[in-house]
Amino acid sequence: MPLDSSIPMLSVTAGAILGALTPRVAYRLSVAWGEPTLTGCAQCGGPFAAGRAGWWAFAARCASCGVRQGPSPWWTVPVGALAAGATALSLAGKGWALAAGLLLCATGVLLAAIDLAVQRLPDPVVWRLAVAVAALLAIAAATGGGWSAYARALGGGAALLAAYGLLALLTGGQFGLGDAKVAGVAGLLLGWIGWPAVLAGGMFGLFLNGLTAIVLLALRRVTWRGSLPMGPALLTGFLLALLATTLPLD
């Protein structure tokens, strides 16, 4: 099998493995703002599984009391695999830009899990992701991608950061600054692809958030004054924008 044709399959496998490891990491980081990360089970205080009991880390359950720790791998594994596979198809042959996209996918699943649990996108994770994506794209620019593409990537990240930051201020908390920061990181990759991708990412993210809010309001799961975890819909919208602006129509 040619190397290029094996990349999507390898990406799917890597995405699935990282998705399986996501629950425990998400559990550690799913704490209120200002609280330290968890070092053991919040239910019984027992230490995280190690050694022979290490398989419980994949089951996302405490080895002592059996309580679930973090999201179910039944959704993190397939979502991680699908997101990685879609990114590999979209950025096939893009080298370091593909690496940046796969890193964004893997971390995006983690951020979505944390946001669903505590409606928070931790700054330490987001800023490290931003630095890593910017660095990988800089390598891509230096190895043939072109510095004009890198400048456009920085512009795309700044544009989405500013747009969603303004929404966070205007909506009084319906959008959070964490959402704006994640939008800015995704904007780096979308900007590398082109300005149509940046525009599509902004529009798809807003559309999916609005659709999610309407459905939850109709089901009476939230109220007009309630807040929603916006991160999962934003990240999904950015992935759809990547697909829509890179895959051929024929």
Side-chain angles (χ1 to χ4, degrees):
M1 179 183 294
L3 179 60
D4 286 346
S5 64
S6 68
I7 288 178
M9 185 59 66
L10 292 173
S11 299
V12 168
T13 303
I17 293 173
L18 292 173
L21 295 172
T22 293
R24 177 57 56 77
V25 181
Y27 183 74
R28 287 175 179 267
L29 298 176
S30 295
V31 294
W33 189 87
E35 294 293 327
T37 58
L38 295 174
T39 58
C41 178
Q43 182 72 23
C44 69
F48 289 126
R52 290 182 300 173
W55 70 273
W56 281 91
F58 291 90
R61 291 188 179 278
C62 176
S64 300
C65 67
V67 69
R68 179 172 296 283
Q69 295 179 328
S72 170
W74 285 108
W75 77 259
T76 60
V77 171
V79 168
L82 286 172
T87 300
L89 288 174
S90 299
L91 299 174
K94 299 296 185 181
W96 291 103
L98 171 58
L102 293 175
L103 177 62
L104 182 57
C105 279
T107 312
V109 176
L110 172 64
L111 288 171
I114 297 171
D115 201 20
L116 288 171
V118 293
Q119 294 190 25
R120 178 172 172 254
L121 296 164
D123 278 346
V125 177
V126 176
W127 287 121
R128 285 178 173 84
L129 176 63
V131 170
V133 169
L136 288 171
L137 292 179
I139 297 174
T143 54
W147 291 105
S148 61
Y150 190 69
R152 189 175 61 240
L154 295 179
L160 287 186
L161 174 63
Y164 278 90
L166 181 60
L167 281 174
L169 295 176
L170 294 178
T171 58
Q174 294 298 318
F175 279 88
L177 291 177
D179 300 315
K181 295 168 189 174
V182 169
V185 179
L188 292 171
L189 183 62
L190 294 177
W192 178 270
I193 301 302
W195 286 110
V198 175
L199 179 61
M203 293 177 60
F204 286 167
L206 288 175
F207 172 77
L208 289 179
N209 270 310
L211 182 61
T212 301
I214 291 172
V215 170
L216 292 179
L217 284 169
L219 295 175
R220 297 185 178 180
R221 299 290 299 274
V222 297
T223 65
W224 286 103
R225 294 181 178 274
S227 59
L228 296 173
M230 299 295 187
L234 284 178
L235 291 164
T236 302
F238 299 145
L239 180 59
L240 291 177
L242 182 64
L243 290 169
T245 55
T246 55
L247 294 182
L249 297 177
D250 53 354

